Amino acid sequence: MSSHPSIASIVARFQAGLKTRILAFGSSNTERFLAGTHWFDVLDLAVKNTYGRVHHCINTGIGGHSSRLMLERFEHDAEFYRPHLAIITVGGNDSLSETNKLSEEEFDANLRELRRRFAEMGCAVVFQTYYAADPAQIGAESEKKFNHYMGIIRKVAAETNSGLVDHNTRWEAL
């Protein structure tokens, strides 16, 4: 992951001391509930401790949102901040939520549209998959669909030359 061009360009900004805006854009796994316990807090501290205060972390995660809803709020919750790096984490609600469930085709198209809009701003994009779903909580059929949508994220990241943090693969064994 660290050798991906999207990340390398951001690291170069940090090393040069250029102020860099990092946007976390997603659903509940992005929304910050408790200070200091969130993955984005860890990223913020890691950058600060390694490069100094050369960045601003902006979190616009909203629980329950799908990629469709993220596109609807893109202007105010993403474009407004003109980020240098966008970390996009979405897919659970797209695959499982009764109110936000999307077809595979729409989910794929929405990820590509999000990537296009960020790229148009000159923003590097890193997609993230969710941690693994618990089949005891959601059922085997829902887990299968959830994992398929995580595969769509992997595919779109590869085909659009975007970065990828694949939590799903790492956590699945647990």
Side-chain angles (χ1 to χ4, degrees):
M1 179 46 196
S2 62
S3 62
H4 190 276
S6 294
I7 299 304
S9 68
I10 297 304
V11 169
R13 288 185 62 86
F14 294 156
Q15 290 171 335
L18 299 173
K19 280 289 187 189
T20 303
R21 292 177 300 281
I22 305 169
L23 177 72
F25 193 50
S27 53
S28 62
N29 53 17
T30 303
E31 186 174 4
R32 185 176 183 221
F33 294 100
L34 291 171
T37 63
H38 193 271
W39 64 264
F40 205 44
D41 295 327
V42 174
L43 177 63
D44 180 35
L45 290 172
V47 173
K48 179 182 174 277
N49 291 337
T50 304
Y51 302 102
R53 185 48 73 188
V54 296
H55 67 294
H56 296 289
C57 284
I58 305 155
N59 187 331
T60 61
I62 298 177
H65 272 210
S66 65
S67 58
R68 180 189 301 142
L69 294 171
M70 289 168 60
L71 283 167
E72 288 175 10
R73 64 185 175 95
F74 187 86
E75 181 182 346
H76 299 290
D77 286 355
E79 186 177 29
F80 174 81
Y81 296 105
R82 307 290 300 167
H84 299 97
L85 171 65
I87 303 170
I88 301 171
T89 315
V90 67
N93 297 316
D94 298 78
S95 64
L96 301 176
S97 167
E98 288 307 314
T99 55
N100 290 324
K101 194 182 318 183
L102 304 180
S103 69
E104 296 173 20
E105 296 77 19
E106 184 178 355
F107 181 59
D108 183 291
N110 289 350
L111 293 177
R112 292 173 190 280
E113 179 61 15
L114 286 166
R115 167 65 168 83
R116 185 194 68 73
R117 289 183 188 186
F118 280 115
E120 222 172 53
M121 292 188 287
C123 177
V125 171
V126 172
F127 287 101
Q128 288 191 116
T129 60
Y130 282 35
Y131 42 82
D134 183 352
Q137 288 186 333
I138 68 170
E141 194 59 38
S142 291
E143 180 193 24
K144 183 178 176 183
K145 185 169 185 176
F146 173 87
N147 287 331
H148 183 70
Y149 276 59
M150 296 303 107
I152 293 170
I153 294 169
R154 291 182 199 100
K155 179 183 77 131
V156 170
E159 291 176 359
T160 62
N161 195 29
S162 300
L164 175 67
V165 176
D166 192 359
H167 297 290
N168 184 252
T169 298
R170 292 182 180 141
W171 282 86
E172 206 166 42
L174 301 175

